[in-house]
Every structure is written in C-alpha cells, then in structure tokens.
Amino acid sequence: MKIDGKCHCGFITFEAEADPAKTAICNCTDCQVLTGGAFRVTIPAESGTFRLISGEPSTYVKTADSGTQRLHAFCPRCGSPIYATGLGDDPKPYSLRFGTVRQREHFAPTVQIWTRSQPAWVQDITSIAGFEGQPDSIHARFGEKGWSSP
C-alpha cells in the first residue's frame, strides 16, 4: 500500500510502500523512553521504498544491549520521531512511526514484541474511562487548573 506522512509541524514529509499486516507494537523500554509512552507502534516500509520528500531529519545511533545499532530519525523542529533503520546504504527497511503516517487507520497492529517490558495495565485499557473529546470534568477529577490536551 502506498503511504505518505509528515511530522507534527510538517517540516519532514515522506512516502513509502507498506503492508498493513506487518504493523507491530514494541513494548521495549527503549521505545517507552523514546515515545514517552507505554509502547510504540511501528509500520515497516517495504525495503527500498522509503523516500524523504521534504526536510532533513536529525539522527542519532542507538546501540541496543545486543550490540545492534539502529539509526533513529526525528524532526529537528518539532521533535516528532519519524523512523528507525539499520546503518549502511539503501535499500534497507525503515520502521516508520505510526503517528506520522496519514493512512494510519489501515494499520492495526498484528503482533507485539518485548511484552516482558509491557506495563500490566496495557493488557486491558477498556476498563479505563474514555471520552471522545476533552471533558470539562477532567479538571475537577485531577484537581489541576489549566490542564489541556496537546
């Protein structure tokens, strides 16, 4: 499937080909730290199809406990994570960040990895109260003034 995406501010734009059936959730502690969340959803681009359309991401290399090195790319303006990939020349696979892909409604995860690092509450978030938007009562519930969603 042809996909395209962008960072939060729009400086970085890209396109690629991806198979929705390969979408994954990673629960490793690196992904938790890198997202500021409980897990990361990744969409693997088909090897050789990823193409930057605009902008140049900032990058750094993370060495895993296994010794494997991965190049992580993010927007230098807004900080949005864009992808991770191996070192070396293209063509190579790119793990795209779910939130940056415009067609993300087609990409439901089919597998989870590193579940031993998963917070227990992630197993059943349906028991957590949910709202379609930001309710006024959230301020009273948490006792915070001026709290707002991003």
Side-chain angles (χ1 to χ4, degrees), residues 60-96:
Y60 78 98
V61 175
K62 168 67 170 114
T63 303
D65 292 339
S66 66
T68 301
Q69 293 185 315
R70 300 280 290 162
L71 181 73
H72 290 263
F74 56 95
C75 177
R77 294 185 180 175
C78 68
S80 296
I82 307 298
Y83 63 80
T85 190
L87 301 181
D89 296 328
D90 286 332
K92 59 187 171 187
Y94 284 74
S95 295
L96 304 177

Side-chain angles (χ1 to χ4, degrees), residues 105-121:
E105 72 276 4
H106 299 289
F107 291 84
T110 58
V111 66
Q112 293 190 65
I113 59 174
W114 290 98
T115 57
R116 71 178 181 215
S117 302
Q118 182 182 67
W121 57 264

Side-chain angles (χ1 to χ4, degrees), residues 3-141:
I3 60 171
D4 61 273
K6 64 179 183 168
C7 65
H8 191 258
C9 73
F11 176 68
I12 304 284
T13 59
F14 62 87
E15 64 183 16
E17 294 280 334
D19 179 354
K22 296 179 181 177
T23 305
I25 292 175
C26 182
N27 295 281
C28 79
T29 55
D30 281 346
C31 283
Q32 291 172 11
V33 171
L34 288 165
T35 63
F39 53 83
R40 177 189 306 259
V41 179
T42 61
I43 298 172
E46 298 297 329
S47 187
T49 68
F50 177 80
R51 184 173 77 93
L52 277 173
I53 297 170
S54 69
E56 185 64 34
S58 292
T59 62
Y60 78 98
V61 175
K62 168 67 170 114
T63 303
D65 292 339
S66 66
T68 301
Q69 293 185 315
R70 300 280 290 162
L71 181 73
H72 290 263
F74 56 95
C75 177
R77 294 185 180 175
C78 68
S80 296
I82 307 298
Y83 63 80
T85 190
L87 301 181
D89 296 328
D90 286 332
K92 59 187 171 187
Y94 284 74
S95 295
L96 304 177
R97 304 319 185 198
F98 176 86
T100 63
V101 173
R102 190 172 57 88
Q103 297 81 5
R104 59 187 170 265
E105 72 276 4
H106 299 289
F107 291 84
T110 58
V111 66
Q112 293 190 65
I113 59 174
W114 290 98
T115 57
R116 71 178 181 215
S117 302
Q118 182 182 67
W121 57 264
V122 172
Q123 290 293 322
D124 183 18
I125 63 171
T126 60
S127 63
I128 300 171
F131 303 91
E132 289 186 13
Q134 173 141 352
D136 292 335
S137 64
I138 199 86
H139 301 292
R141 181 172 180 175

